[in-house]
Amino acid sequence: GLFIEKGIKLLKEGGRLVFIVPCTFMILDEFSKLRSFLAKTGEVKIYYLGEKVFDKNVTVCILVVTKDRRLKGRLGLYEVKDLKDIVTWYEKEGWAGEIIRFENEETRKFEENKPLLQDLFEFHFAARSIEYYRSPEVSREPKPGYVCVLKGDNLHQNWIDYENCYTNLWVPKSSVGKFRWFYTIPHIVVGHTKGGRIVAAVDERCYPWREEIHLIPKVPLSIDEMRRIAEYLNLDEVQKYVKILYKEITPHITITQLRILPILGEYMKYIKREV
């Protein structure tokens, strides 16, 4: 990000910067300041190349930035199938640095007149590994009254494996709230690194976690209501929607992606309370 910013600052007004860069800046939260900077600089065009350039594990794009304040907020997104086939996804104005998605009629129709996850939930990251390693309460072997610290390997669509302890870390059940307050209440857990797929389940037993994203209801929800929402998040149609929007840009699901994920109207009937 700093290299791109430095290059743009060296440009004269009306100058153009052309870089081949990893596509992760398009959607990851840590690049929000870079996207905002690009939006204020001038016209931004992104040509998505995918994994076919350098390495199958790295998706790249051509970033073209024209330094012209009269053009700020202009964004064009294109996909290069081959040198003779360049698809225009969209060209728009008013971009302010939001995440860059491959929106089309299908995704817009899916989103139409639907509430978002952020209307119902707060979003939190799990405690980091170092927090457990430094805690005197953590044991490297199971003990009476202790529970396993769970991680991504324990999380599956609609169920959680409480039996296997892949972290080899255990903490007193009475102390789980010291690591994160929301470990003490049932809530939805969504995988952070699941190959770009949504993997969600309800943690009904209130275990501590070392990874993943945790969705805490803004209003009181029953276990059954949260199960229904988790089941919805795991549906094939939701996976397809996410795949279209974000392609193979990153194996991560971010909090921002989850916040703006629409919930089908039919699932709102399980939310009896006004949000």
Side-chain angles (χ1 to χ4, degrees), residues 133-147:
Y133 295 146
R134 289 177 175 174
S135 173
E137 296 194 70
V138 174
S139 172
R140 298 302 180 97
E141 58 184 31
K143 295 180 179 180
Y146 280 58
V147 293

Side-chain angles (χ1 to χ4, degrees), residues 42-77:
E43 183 180 58
V44 176
K45 293 185 176 182
I46 297 169
Y47 294 84
Y48 181 80
L49 302 175
E51 299 176 334
K52 52 182 174 284
V53 178
F54 298 115
D55 185 276
K56 66 179 182 179
N57 294 321
V58 179
T59 57
V60 298
C61 61
I62 300 172
L63 173 65
V64 182
V65 182
T66 301
K67 187 175 183 178
D68 187 336
R69 294 190 179 277
R70 296 171 300 176
L71 304 177
K72 66 179 182 179
R74 288 191 184 180
L75 174 66
L77 181 61

Side-chain angles (χ1 to χ4, degrees), residues 30-160:
E30 52 261 44
F31 291 106
S32 60
K33 290 183 179 179
L34 173 62
R35 291 193 299 269
S36 178
F37 173 76
L38 292 174
K40 295 174 183 176
T41 295
E43 183 180 58
V44 176
K45 293 185 176 182
I46 297 169
Y47 294 84
Y48 181 80
L49 302 175
E51 299 176 334
K52 52 182 174 284
V53 178
F54 298 115
D55 185 276
K56 66 179 182 179
N57 294 321
V58 179
T59 57
V60 298
C61 61
I62 300 172
L63 173 65
V64 182
V65 182
T66 301
K67 187 175 183 178
D68 187 336
R69 294 190 179 277
R70 296 171 300 176
L71 304 177
K72 66 179 182 179
R74 288 191 184 180
L75 174 66
L77 181 61
Y78 314 89
E79 183 174 2
V80 180
K81 302 288 188 178
D82 57 53
L83 293 178
K84 296 182 180 180
D85 186 9
I86 300 177
V87 176
T88 299
W89 278 82
Y90 54 78
E91 295 171 334
K92 63 182 180 181
E93 298 185 2
W95 179 58
E98 301 87 357
I99 63 174
I100 301 165
R101 312 185 303 167
F102 289 85
E103 304 165 10
N104 61 16
E105 287 188 17
E106 185 176 357
T107 62
R108 285 189 284 270
K109 184 176 180 180
F110 185 83
E111 296 167 352
E112 194 173 27
N113 299 320
K114 295 181 178 69
L116 306 178
L117 268 184
Q118 66 184 5
D119 296 327
L120 302 176
F121 294 93
E122 298 175 357
F123 301 81
H124 300 272
F125 274 119
R128 299 182 182 276
S129 299
I130 192 66
E131 297 177 58
Y132 291 108
Y133 295 146
R134 289 177 175 174
S135 173
E137 296 194 70
V138 174
S139 172
R140 298 302 180 97
E141 58 184 31
K143 295 180 179 180
Y146 280 58
V147 293
C148 173
V149 177
L150 304 181
K151 58 177 292 190
D153 292 334
N154 298 95
L155 180 64
H156 304 272
Q157 288 187 329
N158 301 319
W159 69 281
I160 293 172

Side-chain angles (χ1 to χ4, degrees), residues 206-224:
C206 306
Y207 270 45
W209 289 77
R210 198 188 70 183
E211 299 172 0
E212 314 317 325
I213 300 171
H214 299 259
L215 279 58
I216 314 304
K218 292 181 178 180
V219 296
L221 298 177
S222 68
I223 296 291
D224 186 57

Side-chain angles (χ1 to χ4, degrees), residues 153-211:
D153 292 334
N154 298 95
L155 180 64
H156 304 272
Q157 288 187 329
N158 301 319
W159 69 281
I160 293 172
D161 175 8
Y162 292 102
E163 304 305 319
N164 295 296
C165 194
Y166 299 104
T167 62
N168 290 315
L169 299 172
W170 288 263
V171 300
K173 186 66 167 70
S174 59
S175 298
V176 297
K178 295 180 180 179
F179 295 93
R180 290 293 186 272
W181 66 267
F182 49 84
Y183 292 161
T184 63
I185 60 174
H187 62 277
I188 296 175
V189 183
V190 177
H192 176 51
T193 307
K194 292 287 187 178
R197 297 169 57 249
I198 302 290
V199 177
V202 178
D203 182 3
E204 302 179 24
R205 299 188 188 179
C206 306
Y207 270 45
W209 289 77
R210 198 188 70 183
E211 299 172 0

Side-chain angles (χ1 to χ4, degrees), residues 1-8 17 19:
L2 292 176
F3 192 64
I4 295 173
E5 185 175 342
K6 179 67 173 178
I8 291 173
L17 176 144
F19 277 170

